[in-house]
Amino acid sequence: MIDFSKYPAEPFRIKSVEPVAMISREERLKVAKEAGYNTFLINSKDVYIDLLTDSGTNAMSDRQWGGMMIGDEAYAGSRNFHHLQEVVQKHFGFKYIVPTHQGRGAENLLSQIAIKPGQFVPGNMYFTTTRYHQERNGGIFVDIIRDEAHDATLDIPFKVISTWRSSRELSTKKVLKMWLMYALPLR
């Protein structure tokens, strides 16, 4: 018998539903092959569960929808921007902020500003767009994960190499040209 106390109901109600279709296994295989097995080339109408991203894949709360309805969408000088700026300054101490539509957009801006041609950017298991932004802006990407990081069955807390010296990829010369250690949480 199932112990339902281990699986409590979610503390929210879903406010929006979007119908999706599931194509047959044969159709999915055909779509994947036609896309060259590149998930970025598969049309969203052919995707039942999107595991490629976590951007915009969840239902919004009633407060988020309400915020959109009362938001100030002025091109410049909106009260929402000023509120965001005040909160960021209060909690993080940054004098200036540049709001972006999502992390990938912000990552591209950061890469354009910070990377100089020939600089090495070590990190752990890049997203394809992360690597693209860094290389497009002149950086040389160096993945410094340890071999065990490729085994999803292992429960290891830190999948990046334990010391700089243990990496054959990073010589002293490369470290001196490095501008940023890019680390993404993998748990």
Side-chain angles (χ1 to χ4, degrees), residues 71-85:
D72 179 356
E73 296 183 30
Y75 189 74
S78 76
R79 68 179 178 277
N80 294 84
F81 171 78
H82 291 297
H83 174 70
L84 173 65
Q85 187 175 39

Side-chain angles (χ1 to χ4, degrees), residues 3 41 73-74 124:
D3 180 2
L41 299 178
E73 296 183 30
N124 62 333

Side-chain angles (χ1 to χ4, degrees), residues 2-185:
I2 297 174
D3 180 2
F4 288 103
S5 66
K6 292 181 180 177
Y7 307 99
E10 291 89 355
F12 53 82
R13 292 184 182 93
I14 302 298
K15 298 287 187 177
S16 177
V17 176
E18 177 185 350
V20 294
M22 182 166 46
I23 60 178
S24 70
R25 177 178 172 79
E26 292 77 25
E27 289 173 295
R28 291 193 307 271
L29 290 171
K30 181 179 179 234
V31 164
K33 187 175 182 178
E34 288 174 355
Y37 301 98
N38 181 340
T39 53
F40 286 98
L41 299 178
I42 296 175
N43 293 320
S44 63
K45 70 177 178 55
D46 296 324
V47 177
Y48 183 63
I49 298 175
D50 185 352
L51 300 177
L52 179 62
T53 181
D54 59 0
S55 299
T57 59
N58 297 309
M60 288 179 26
S61 72
D62 55 347
R63 292 180 184 188
Q64 288 171 315
W65 282 113
M68 285 179 58
M69 296 298 111
I70 62 172
D72 179 356
E73 296 183 30
Y75 189 74
S78 76
R79 68 179 178 277
N80 294 84
F81 171 78
H82 291 297
H83 174 70
L84 173 65
Q85 187 175 39
E86 289 169 15
V87 171
V88 168
Q89 288 172 346
K90 175 183 173 188
H91 293 286
F92 298 103
F94 297 125
K95 184 174 180 180
Y96 302 105
I97 65 167
V98 179
T100 57
H101 66 291
Q102 69 173 167
R104 297 290 153 240
E107 173 185 274
N108 187 30
L109 290 175
L110 178 62
S111 294
Q112 289 177 38
I113 293 167
I115 296 176
K116 305 273 187 291
Q119 286 182 315
F120 292 89
V121 187
N124 62 333
M125 298 180 88
Y126 286 83
F127 288 114
T128 52
T129 53
T130 303
R131 181 175 178 170
Y132 171 76
H133 289 147
Q134 292 170 351
E135 290 181 343
R136 178 175 170 253
N137 291 292
I140 299 169
F141 132 87
V142 181
D143 208 355
I144 59 168
I145 59 166
R146 60 192 208 197
D147 293 338
E148 297 88 352
H150 294 287
D151 185 346
T153 63
L154 292 179
D155 184 19
I156 53 178
F158 196 64
K159 297 182 181 189
V160 176
I161 57 173
S162 57
T163 67
W164 288 107
R165 284 172 299 204
S166 66
S167 172
R168 290 172 294 219
E169 294 291 322
L170 292 177
S171 66
T172 305
K173 185 177 179 182
K174 288 182 180 180
V175 171
L176 292 174
K177 292 178 74 176
M178 180 177 56
W179 72 276
L180 161 63
M181 173 71 166
Y182 223 95
L184 303 170

